Amino acid sequence: MGRKHSKNAGVMGSEALTYHERRLLGHGTAAERLGKDSIGNYYDCRLTLAPAVDPVCTPKGFLFSREAILENLLEQKKANKRKLAAWEAQQADEARKQADKAAIDAEAALLAFDRQNHMGASEALAQKLKDTINEEAEVLLADKKTASGAINIETNKERMKEMRAFWLPGKAPEAKVILEKPDMSTTCPASGGKLKLKDLTAVRFTPVPGGGPHEYMDPVTKDVFTNASRLVVLKPTGDVVLKETWEKCIKPDGHYGGKEVGEGDVLELQRGGTGFAEHDKDHLQAKKRFLLGPGSGLADLRGQLGGATSKFGLRFNN
């Protein structure tokens, strides 16, 4: 269907919506600029979205509360165990079905051989008998669901025999769900990369003397941290310092707090939000694509999707 309007739009070809009209109906990608508060601060936990309590850091610089990340990793392990148990059960069931089918095939071949050699059945009849037995065996071995409720199983079986409506859920064919062997590794909820408990590094912020509850500073230069600050964590001690402090003061000497600190002992923390595009980059905008509109068919009340009514009858509730 074409989308060009005629020269006299509203008379000929008015059925085709223009790009602007389709955008007003909610079709396409809706984007909205996020503020500083939507991105969070550098000291916020990525799970609770609140100031991190007993903070720990991942190798990629994401900050979490210790209790929150430990609970998350534990739940992931439990979920992986459940998936593995389901996969193992399916594998055992498939092995049982294959063994049963092989036994039935052997019995069918033996019965066909007996009918052909002792009862004078033709080869075609013996083969038909064998195929019939195999088809019935496949039906019996297939997974089927029966009605469940307060009545017993035998009553259900009798009721299922009487149900001849093909559209009933119990009578409809079902696609076989094949499970894949799950990956037992746990992942970081922020980056999606693999994460183990031993990869977490304890983080220690230096509070500003006389400052607010979440005001921290560089323990060397005494500079106060902001969301625009580039911070690094020294793994041997857990202290958080400015990246400039690390490069100019600590790195040349190779020691801090009486412990040796090398290149591999430094983790750069993810920075907080400032509300400026140059700093926040891709984190400053949220996008969502609608193929057929956001659901109601009405224009979005916010953002760039707002507009006037159509000149040929469409109404947009803005």
Side-chain angles (χ1 to χ4, degrees):
M1 176 179 175
R3 296 186 179 181
K4 293 183 178 180
H5 274 230
S6 65
K7 292 183 179 179
N8 299 321
V11 181
M12 296 291 294
S14 60
E15 305 85 12
L17 301 178
T18 63
Y19 173 78
H20 177 66
E21 289 162 348
R22 283 184 282 118
R23 293 283 290 172
L24 288 176
L25 285 173
H27 175 85
T29 301
E32 185 166 340
R33 183 184 176 93
L34 302 178
K36 168 181 174 295
D37 295 335
S38 300
I39 303 176
N41 299 303
Y42 68 91
Y43 51 79
D44 286 344
C45 170
R46 292 302 179 111
L47 283 173
T48 63
L49 305 181
V53 179
D54 191 9
V56 292
C57 175
T58 68
K60 291 189 177 181
F62 292 100
L63 199 70
F64 296 96
S65 295
R66 183 182 294 274
E67 182 180 357
I69 189 61
L70 291 183
E71 183 178 351
N72 182 272
L73 294 178
L74 181 60
E75 288 298 325
Q76 289 188 47
K77 288 184 177 180
K78 291 181 179 179
N80 290 339
K81 288 183 178 179
R82 289 193 295 269
K83 293 178 182 178
L84 181 63
W87 177 79
E88 290 176 344
Q90 187 182 69
Q91 294 297 311
D93 188 57
E94 288 295 328
R96 178 187 59 79
K97 288 182 180 180
Q98 292 297 329
D100 292 345
K101 190 174 184 304
I104 292 173
D105 289 342
E107 289 292 335
L110 182 61
L111 182 59
F113 177 81
D114 181 72
R115 294 290 179 88
Q116 185 176 2
N117 289 274
H118 296 88
M119 300 181 66
S122 63
E123 184 177 354
L125 184 60
Q127 183 62 37
K128 185 177 181 180
L129 175 63
K130 183 178 178 180
D131 294 341
T132 303
I133 294 175
N134 288 334
E135 289 177 2
E136 292 181 357
E138 289 181 359
V139 172
L140 292 174
L141 292 175
D143 293 329
K144 286 187 174 180
K145 289 184 179 180
T146 58
S148 59
I151 53 181
N152 57 43
I153 297 176
E154 294 300 326
T155 307
N156 275 331
K157 288 182 179 179
E158 295 300 324
R159 290 185 60 191
M160 292 296 291
K161 291 179 182 179
E162 298 174 0
M163 293 180 182
R164 302 185 181 278
F166 63 88
W167 59 82
L168 291 177
K171 292 290 187 179
E174 297 180 354
K176 185 177 180 180
V177 179
I178 300 178
L179 301 177
E180 296 183 358
K181 187 175 182 179
D183 185 3
M184 300 302 292
S185 58
T186 53
T187 59
C188 173
S191 66
K194 292 185 177 181
L195 178 66
K196 296 181 179 180
L197 183 60
K198 65 179 182 180
D199 298 331
L200 299 176
T201 302
V203 176
R204 183 174 64 181
F205 289 103
T206 303
V208 176
H214 303 297
E215 290 186 10
Y216 304 106
M217 67 178 186
D218 189 305
V220 178
T221 63
K222 310 302 181 184
D223 291 331
V224 179
F225 296 154
T226 65
N227 286 336
S229 302
R230 301 187 65 180
L231 308 176
V232 296
V233 179
L234 307 180
K235 293 172 64 176
T237 63
D239 288 299
V240 179
V241 300
L242 292 170
K243 188 173 183 179
E244 186 178 6
T245 303
W246 151 250
E247 292 176 346
K248 294 183 178 180
C249 302
I250 302 175
K251 183 177 179 180
D253 182 60
H255 291 82
Y256 179 80
K259 296 183 179 180
E260 186 175 352
V261 182
E263 287 281 356
D265 298 325
V266 177
L267 301 175
E268 185 168 358
L269 279 179
Q270 298 289 330
R271 293 188 284 179
T274 62
F276 294 97
E278 179 63 25
H279 177 272
D280 298 333
K281 301 186 184 300
D282 296 337
H283 302 290
L284 196 61
Q285 192 177 54
K287 293 183 179 180
K288 186 174 182 180
R289 178 170 175 78
F290 297 104
L291 295 179
L292 297 174
S296 64
L298 304 177
D300 197 342
L301 299 180
R302 301 179 61 188
Q304 77 276 23
L305 299 182
T309 59
S310 170
K311 61 182 179 182
F312 59 98
L314 290 177
R315 294 183 177 273
F316 308 110
N317 294 350
N318 283 342

